[in-house]
Amino acid sequence: MTLMDKYQTSVATFNKLAKQYQDKYMDFEHYFDTYDAICDLVTTPNAKILDIGCGPANISSYLLKKRPDYQIHGTDLSSAMIELATGNVENGSFEVLDSREISKIDQKFDAIICGFNAPYLDEEDVAKLISDISGLLNPNGILYFSTMEGSSFDNGYQTSSTGDQVYIHYHSYPFCFAQLQSNGLELIEVKRKMMPPQANQLQAIDMFLYARKVS
């Protein structure tokens, strides 16, 4: 199976299970403190925020409850997710866009959210994504970047209870840190959380990186 097939398989699953994903993660308290940290860092009034791989806008929706002045633009490759996001965030703007083509966006942002988009990208595409993100950030702009921490040896398909599959890529801290550093992004903080183990899946370590554009 080719690399493109892996991506297409994952997107097809997200299109099919978008509502179930929304039901699980729209109010998922386990991550709320990581979103609060975004509000603490992004203090600019009416800050322009890009939400990459926004899903049903679960992160953006949470942020707007605390900071209704934020101006949200979200992207996702799943059209079903964008449809949900549009309904969940009335004042936001959303578009179907591959995160590997995020450089097509012709504006700058005060902050960029990339919440668990990286697990669906290989290392080469994550490296390009972080480079593209740096190019879209204003000076001193903030990046929130979360992924599943681990070794590439653990990469592979994960199957849901419905039999649908996504291909998961694990990324290490040294790799992510190197990409930030080489693209003028200064690491501010790292958070980690353990997710409860699920049937037929590795126990995941979720890693959250906060960085600021310094050059």
Side-chain angles (χ1 to χ4, degrees), residues 7-170:
Y7 290 162
Q8 290 173 336
T9 297
S10 297
V11 172
T13 294
F14 279 119
N15 274 328
K16 180 180 177 181
L17 303 180
K19 181 61 166 59
Q20 291 92 320
Y21 183 95
Q22 175 180 257
D23 292 344
K24 180 176 181 179
Y25 289 108
M26 201 66 193
D27 295 300
F28 194 59
E29 294 182 0
H30 187 68
Y31 295 146
F32 282 179
D33 64 312
T34 75
Y35 307 155
D36 291 336
I38 300 172
C39 295
D40 292 339
L41 290 168
V42 185
T43 58
T44 304
N46 304 307
K48 294 174 63 177
I49 297 180
L50 175 62
D51 188 352
I52 300 173
C54 64
N58 48 305
I59 300 178
S60 289
S61 179
Y62 180 89
L63 295 179
L64 288 171
K65 291 174 183 176
K66 296 204 161 195
R67 287 291 304 273
D69 61 305
Y70 283 168
Q71 300 178 49
I72 300 291
H73 181 67
T75 68
D76 201 288
L77 190 50
S78 164
S79 58
M81 290 293 192
I82 289 298
E83 183 176 354
L84 290 174
T86 301
N88 289 327
V89 178
E90 294 182 0
N91 296 326
S93 62
F94 297 92
E95 65 175 316
V96 176
L97 182 64
D98 192 328
S99 63
R100 292 170 294 172
E101 300 180 348
I102 210 72
S103 61
K104 290 182 177 180
I105 296 178
D106 187 23
Q107 58 179 305
K108 300 283 189 176
F109 297 89
D110 300 303
I112 293 179
I113 298 164
C114 191
F116 292 108
N117 185 77
Y120 307 102
L121 300 176
D122 63 23
E123 283 196 349
E124 181 180 354
D125 286 328
V126 168
K128 180 180 182 300
L129 176 61
I130 292 177
S131 175
D132 290 342
I133 284 172
S134 179
L136 291 173
L137 277 172
N138 285 322
N140 297 311
I142 297 297
L143 170 62
Y144 168 94
F145 185 92
S146 57
T147 190
M148 296 165 70
E149 185 177 16
S151 166
S152 60
F153 291 109
D154 297 323
N155 293 353
Y157 283 100
Q158 294 186 1
T159 305
S160 72
S161 59
T162 62
D164 298 287
Q165 292 186 313
V166 294
Y167 193 96
I168 295 296
H169 299 266
Y170 293 85

Side-chain angles (χ1 to χ4, degrees), residues 183-202:
N183 286 286
L185 295 163
E186 179 182 55
L187 184 66
I188 300 170
E189 185 179 6
V190 182
K191 294 177 181 283
R192 290 180 173 87
K193 288 179 174 287
M194 296 293 295
M195 283 292 288
Q198 301 182 40
N200 302 319
Q201 294 184 12
L202 295 172

